[in-house]
Amino acid sequence: MGTLPHTNTPLTANLFLNSSFDRRIMSKTTDNRAFRTVDVDLYNEDNYKEEFDNEVDTGSTDDNQINSLLNSNKNVEALKLFLSGTPLNNKDPAAKKSALDLAMRIMMAVKQSQIEEAVKDLDNDSRDVLMKFIYKGFEVPSKDSSANLLIWHEKIFNLNGVGSVVRVLTDKRKA
């Protein structure tokens, strides 16, 4: 058993002798309950609810123009137009589904021989946006979409590397 440094009194005896002093200090410090005013349950992931933004989107896709490009077999131009006006900050589920459906139609329309050239023509930000739609497409697969999405993923990964994947997975603005 140890002793206090300046006295030869054993530690247990000193604690017993000064117990009233320790209780007085203890009661003063526990009276401060400011740390208990924060409601930690508000910050729980399960309680988080996204709010719909009423902000005006800076970009919007022109579905009619994209559809006319797809009908005239100008799929790469349709892809560029789509990516240039895709609003990622939109939190409306119906708008997100509509954008995903259009992205999937465009990617499925591009021929496999054109994918690499189409990806090379895009800038890094557009490739990251496209990668977001690829991952979202993996979540809701349709007939033959997964194989096609893997080809798109491979081509973007070959150009941007793992950085594109990390940026997509860590960005809170989902497609």
Side-chain angles (χ1 to χ4, degrees):
M1 186 174 307
T3 61
L4 291 175
H6 300 318
T7 65
N8 287 333
T9 311
L11 235 112
T12 54
N14 192 26
L15 289 176
F16 179 74
L17 293 174
N18 293 326
S19 64
S20 63
F21 177 73
D22 288 342
R23 269 190 249 135
R24 190 168 36 95
I25 292 174
M26 189 85 163
S27 64
K28 283 184 180 178
T29 59
T30 57
D31 283 342
N32 183 4
R33 295 173 192 224
F35 68 95
R36 296 183 184 172
T37 59
V38 176
D39 186 9
V40 294
D41 291 331
L42 288 175
Y43 304 105
N44 188 353
E45 282 182 24
D46 298 333
N47 295 335
Y48 178 73
K49 292 183 177 97
E50 286 192 35
E51 297 177 9
F52 289 106
D53 284 343
N54 293 330
E55 299 175 7
V56 178
D57 291 325
T58 56
S60 63
T61 57
D62 185 9
D63 292 350
N64 295 331
Q65 189 175 2
I66 292 173
N67 286 329
S68 69
L69 286 171
L70 286 174
N71 291 336
S72 62
N73 219 13
K74 297 181 180 177
N75 303 327
V76 177
E77 289 83 10
L79 176 67
K80 289 179 184 177
L81 180 64
F82 172 75
L83 292 174
S84 68
T86 303
L88 290 179
N89 292 332
N90 196 344
K91 295 189 176 163
D92 180 27
K96 281 188 170 190
K97 183 175 178 356
S98 170
L100 176 64
D101 291 343
L102 186 56
M104 293 297 289
R105 278 189 41 227
I106 294 170
M107 286 189 284
M108 297 303 134
V110 175
K111 295 180 177 127
Q112 288 186 6
S113 60
Q114 297 175 322
I115 292 176
E116 188 168 4
E117 195 60 39
V119 170
K120 283 182 182 177
D121 289 345
L122 299 174
D123 62 337
N124 283 341
D125 291 335
S126 295
R127 287 186 205 132
D128 286 349
V129 171
L130 184 58
M131 189 70 96
K132 288 179 185 186
F133 283 103
I134 290 169
Y135 280 113
K136 194 66 176 175
F138 282 136
E139 291 178 15
V140 285
S142 61
K143 185 178 187 269
D144 296 329
S145 69
S146 295
N148 201 340
L149 290 173
L150 280 172
I151 294 170
W152 280 97
H153 187 279
E154 175 191 14
K155 302 301 181 187
I156 294 173
F157 183 81
N158 288 341
L159 287 174
N160 283 13
V162 74
S164 180
V165 175
V166 171
R167 284 189 297 274
V168 168
L169 294 178
T170 58
D171 193 358
K172 69 178 187 173
R173 297 175 302 156
K174 304 292 182 193

